[in-house]
Amino acid sequence: MKKENVLWAQEVREKIVTKTDVTVKRAGKIIPYTTKDGKYVDLSAKDIGWWTNGFYGGMLWQLYNYTKNDFYKDIALWIENELDRALFDHRAMDHDSGFRFLPVCIPDYLLFDSKEAYNRLRLAADNLAGRFNPVGFIRAWNDPCDASTAGWAIIDCMMNLPLLYRAYENTKDCRYLNIATRHADTAMKYFIREDGSANHICEFDPKTGEFVRSYGGQGYKEGSSWTRGQSWALYGFTLSYLHTKEERYLDTAKKSANYFISNIPESGLIPVDFIQPKDCTYEDSTAAAIAACGLIELSKVCEGDEAAKYEDAAMKLLKALVENRCDFSTDKDNIVEKCTAAFNDKDHEFAIVYGDYYLVEAIFKLTGDAIMIW
């Protein structure tokens, strides 16, 4: 990393810590998704299986790793234990198990050699592996009423594959590796378009594996370019390369990243969809934060001008967020603002917890204080 980027990130890191020292203590033991009147809304009782429930704990672990303040660790451990209820709920265990359990369990396992955290990771990995359809993909979502989505897979799952890669690395059981790479190869072939843009949802015949069609999903429309999905692609394929060292994944990560970079607006602020109507101003700050994390990791495995290109792009995204879309006051619990879950949802541009998580991860990557949870 360039020295000036590290120094800038160190200043931002201290703003984050100054804020969270107050807001985390004030919020106490909660599992948030968004805010109401600037304060986090707790999902721990209402919806323990919600897909984002690992991110707040992951952010607290990142903060603990840097500060060594026990109140971060204590709440992160509480969240990890609360998520046991999701492990025992088949409706909760879907393709997003990596998002739920990696952020809370990996730090506990790496820092403290926690046998309980390891057990949770193995149970979650086994469940994710059980979702694999042998025709070549990990099924998305659960549908207890019918089998209409039995052939659906989504780009988000690329970020959950590290649950399987880590299970393979710990056990040397090739089943985990084979499932992860089979799914990644399917995603590489069908999700990433020729120009590097990514589909959100692809449907396959669940009996034969034949490609059926793509869907617009959380983007503007079918064939459009949902920015958070693009960030899942560029970061997810980078992670597949880091875990496997297979060059095809690195090439796909670069292809996805180059498309993202070519569409970054001059402002550095990311729309919900790169081809949304010109008169639509909806933003998704989470896409910027996630992409920055992926670009930082991508810069580390490249050299020369290519590495600089990815680092510079990450910095453009982060500086735009920090200068225009972050609230470092203690009045609000959230840091990142103007996050959007899906283009066609009723609500847009609100606080979402993984916006904060990925901002913290990106800044701490730059300063050398991050735990690599993926």
Side-chain angles (χ1 to χ4, degrees):
M1 296 293 109
K2 297 175 184 176
K3 184 177 180 180
E4 62 268 28
N5 293 339
V6 175
L7 293 174
W8 175 84
Q10 288 173 344
E11 292 180 0
V12 178
R13 178 192 61 194
E14 297 314 307
K15 291 180 181 180
I16 291 169
V17 171
T18 298
K19 177 184 176 85
T20 55
D21 276 353
V22 175
T23 58
V24 172
K25 289 177 181 176
R26 179 174 66 208
K29 292 180 177 178
I30 61 169
I31 302 178
Y33 169 64
T34 187
T35 60
K36 182 178 181 180
D37 299 326
K39 301 300 183 288
Y40 279 133
V41 178
D42 183 21
L43 286 185
S44 61
K46 179 182 177 182
D47 192 355
I48 196 61
W50 187 238
W51 74 273
T52 68
N53 282 355
F55 287 113
Y56 189 62
M59 184 179 76
L60 299 184
W61 276 124
Q62 299 287 8
L63 289 161
Y64 170 76
N65 190 53
Y66 170 61
T67 67
K68 299 300 183 287
N69 287 337
D70 282 340
F71 65 87
Y72 292 127
K73 179 183 72 173
D74 292 344
I75 299 173
L77 288 172
W78 175 82
I79 293 172
E80 182 183 344
N81 280 278
E82 285 294 295
L83 287 177
D84 280 352
R85 289 188 281 129
L87 276 175
F88 283 92
D89 185 347
H90 74 91
R91 296 168 299 177
M93 299 299 290
D94 57 19
H95 64 277
D96 279 331
S97 290
F99 284 139
R100 292 184 190 88
F101 293 99
L102 286 168
V104 293
C105 295
I106 285 293
D108 190 16
Y109 175 60
L110 294 179
L111 295 175
F112 301 106
D113 193 28
S114 168
K115 301 300 186 292
E116 293 82 4
Y118 178 80
N119 183 57
R120 292 179 178 108
L121 289 166
R122 286 294 305 278
L123 288 170
D126 287 344
N127 185 277
L128 184 61
R131 301 186 64 81
F132 181 69
N133 184 321
V135 298
F137 66 91
I138 293 173
R139 182 192 168 169
W141 295 303
N142 292 322
D143 191 342
C145 299
D146 58 59
S148 62
T149 59
W152 284 23
I154 62 174
I155 194 63
D156 316 40
C157 197
M158 289 301 304
M159 288 296 297
N160 289 275
L161 296 184
L163 189 59
L164 301 176
Y165 290 131
R166 286 185 177 271
Y168 166 68
E169 290 157 10
N170 282 322
T171 65
K172 304 307 178 187
D173 186 333
C174 289
R175 292 177 299 165
Y176 298 112
L177 178 64
N178 291 341
I179 289 170
T181 55
R182 283 285 304 281
H183 179 88
D185 288 343
T186 297
M188 186 171 59
K189 182 177 181 179
Y190 293 104
F191 282 82
I192 307 303
R193 306 181 186 118
E194 188 60 34
D195 65 356
S197 63
N199 288 310
H200 180 202
I201 302 171
C202 285
E203 181 180 358
F204 304 91
D205 185 311
K207 291 183 179 179
T208 67
E210 180 181 359
F211 176 75
V212 177
R213 58 166 295 191
S214 65
Y215 295 86
Q218 288 166 252
Y220 168 51
K221 64 179 182 178
E222 183 179 357
S224 65
S225 183
W226 179 46
T227 55
R228 178 151 54 89
Q230 194 69 33
S231 67
W232 293 144
L234 80 86
Y235 198 1
F237 279 105
T238 300
L239 292 168
S240 279
Y241 171 72
L242 292 176
H243 283 284
T244 68
K245 298 300 185 276
E246 294 288 347
E247 290 291 329
R248 65 186 184 276
Y249 300 143
L250 179 59
D251 292 341
T252 307
K254 291 179 182 180
K255 187 176 181 179
S256 302
N258 292 341
Y259 175 85
F260 195 104
I261 292 170
S262 70
N263 284 279
I264 297 175
E266 184 62 31
S267 67
L269 301 171
I270 300 302
V272 179
D273 196 299
F274 280 131
I275 64 168
Q276 66 192 34
K278 294 186 183 300
D279 61 352
C280 177
T281 61
Y282 293 152
E283 293 177 26
D284 183 15
S285 296
T286 72
I290 297 160
C293 289
L295 290 165
I296 291 169
E297 290 300 327
L298 197 52
S299 73
K300 294 176 185 177
V301 295
C302 296
E303 297 179 352
D305 291 343
E306 193 173 45
K309 176 179 72 172
Y310 296 132
E311 182 178 348
D312 290 347
M315 293 305 300
K316 181 172 184 175
L317 295 172
L318 290 172
K319 287 185 176 180
L321 284 177
V322 168
E323 293 168 9
N324 301 288
R325 295 295 180 261
C326 285
D327 185 337
F328 292 107
S329 77
T330 57
D331 297 334
K332 296 180 180 179
D333 286 347
N334 62 290
I335 302 172
V336 178
E337 300 182 320
K338 290 206 171 186
C339 307
T340 298
F343 184 90
N344 292 302
D345 280 356
K346 178 182 177 181
D347 298 319
H348 302 85
E349 300 186 332
F350 51 94
I352 301 179
V353 69
Y354 50 83
D356 287 4
Y357 171 78
Y358 282 106
L359 174 76
V360 171
E361 181 184 293
I363 295 300
F364 283 32
K365 282 180 187 292
L366 291 171
T367 62
D369 300 302
I371 301 172
M372 187 55 170
I373 67 168
W374 306 106

